[in-house]
Amino acid sequence: MDDLNLSQESIYTKKTETGSPHFDPQLIKENQRLFGLSENKGYFLKRPFDLLLSLIAILILSPVFLVIALIIKKTSPGPVFYKQERLGVNEKPFVILKFRSMRSDSEETGPKFTKKNDLRITKIGKLIRKTSLDELPQLINILRGEMSLIGPRPYVGFELADVSKVDRQIRASVRPGISGLSQVSGRSQLSQEATISYDLMYAEKCSLKLDLSIMLKTIQRVLSCEGTN
């Protein structure tokens, strides 16, 4: 980590009065250090596979998109979508899309880690988080080329402050995914160290067979609502 000369307070975060980590997008833009890697991991059909399946999913689920958007708009003041800057391939920042599941004023002092029974979560938010429906807008991120169906978790900058340069290079060599090896191996119940380990394992062993296996496990976990917070 010293090689990057990054620290949680100086580059990726500031501290709020309560000591909670505060993500500052401007600090990311000014201090982002790309690794200069190409997306050289994975199989050659991964991107076409992502495009085809995400397009089919958007067409089939468009009525669900509409219903969720209308309910969010009717039951909670604020925008339908939650937008946040995350790190993608080569740690290039991109804006991730989710259906908003919290009050619109919940991050006035900056993003905070979600807790069990978090009071900031709206009634519809509890449902779409439990069923993972809040993740559906990320299909748009896939069409833009910013994400994949399967890949490492798309982190906010400050969450990687204690991860080594080598590990960051490896996990940043593939697009982040809506689901991934860490998500089907424990999801929010995992420690950050365990999550990074699964991300590295995926980046090094990425294959069509592995992606299909993760997809099947993802469907099982979504249907059983396992590992959600």
Side-chain angles (χ1 to χ4, degrees):
M1 200 60 213
D2 291 336
D3 294 335
L4 284 177
N5 193 28
L6 305 179
S7 69
Q8 190 167 338
E9 288 84 359
S10 64
I11 292 183
Y12 288 120
T13 63
K14 293 188 294 187
K15 290 286 186 176
T16 63
E17 292 180 0
T18 59
S20 301
H22 171 61
F23 175 59
D24 189 333
Q26 189 58 41
L27 292 179
I28 279 282
K29 292 175 182 177
E30 292 175 356
N31 297 280
Q32 185 66 47
R33 302 185 181 188
L34 305 184
F35 295 120
L37 299 176
S38 60
E39 190 177 7
N40 53 13
K41 304 272 186 172
Y43 48 95
F44 73 98
L45 284 177
K46 186 170 177 62
R47 180 60 183 154
F49 191 62
D50 282 336
L51 283 172
L52 178 62
L53 289 186
S54 59
L55 278 172
I56 292 173
I58 287 176
L59 290 174
I60 293 175
L61 297 172
S62 55
V64 179
F65 270 75
L66 180 60
V67 170
I68 293 175
L70 290 174
I71 294 176
I72 291 174
K73 200 66 180 175
K74 187 174 181 179
T75 60
S76 175
V80 169
F81 295 110
Y82 170 74
K83 301 178 181 180
Q84 187 181 58
E85 202 165 60
R86 301 287 181 98
L87 302 183
V89 176
N90 302 336
E91 294 206 346
K92 181 180 179 180
F94 73 97
V95 177
I96 196 171
L97 300 173
K98 292 187 178 186
F99 280 122
R100 182 172 58 83
S101 60
M102 293 187 176
R103 301 192 314 269
S104 58
D105 62 350
S106 62
E107 293 189 348
E108 287 185 346
T109 58
K112 299 180 180 65
F113 297 110
T114 307
K115 300 177 181 178
K116 188 175 182 179
N117 300 319
D118 199 311
L119 296 177
R120 297 173 298 162
I121 301 176
T122 63
K123 290 183 179 180
I124 181 63
K126 290 180 181 179
L127 175 62
I128 62 176
R129 289 173 74 97
K130 189 173 183 63
T131 56
S132 297
L133 291 173
D134 63 320
E135 310 280 353
L136 287 181
Q138 290 169 47
L139 292 169
I140 298 172
N141 288 118
I142 293 177
L143 293 181
R144 291 176 178 174
E146 298 159 340
M147 293 183 66
S148 174
L149 286 168
I150 306 297
R153 182 177 178 274
Y155 271 115
V156 178
F158 72 77
E159 296 179 285
L160 295 172
D162 296 322
V163 180
S164 72
K165 179 180 178 181
V166 172
D167 287 350
R168 288 176 65 165
Q169 286 178 320
I170 294 172
R171 72 182 305 282
S173 64
V174 292
R175 287 184 175 92
I178 294 180
S179 185
L181 196 55
S182 64
Q183 288 92 323
V184 299
S185 302
R187 204 170 176 179
S188 59
Q189 299 171 355
L190 292 175
S191 65
Q192 188 203 39
E193 183 179 2
T195 299
I196 295 296
S197 295
Y198 280 118
D199 288 346
L200 296 176
M201 189 183 304
Y202 175 80
E204 294 178 341
K205 297 183 178 182
C206 179
S207 67
L208 176 59
K209 182 179 178 180
L210 180 57
D211 276 13
L212 291 175
S213 174
I214 293 173
M215 283 184 186
L216 290 175
K217 291 180 179 179
T218 298
I219 293 171
Q220 293 171 356
R221 283 187 168 269
V222 168
L223 292 177
S224 63
C225 299
E226 290 181 46
T228 56
N229 188 11

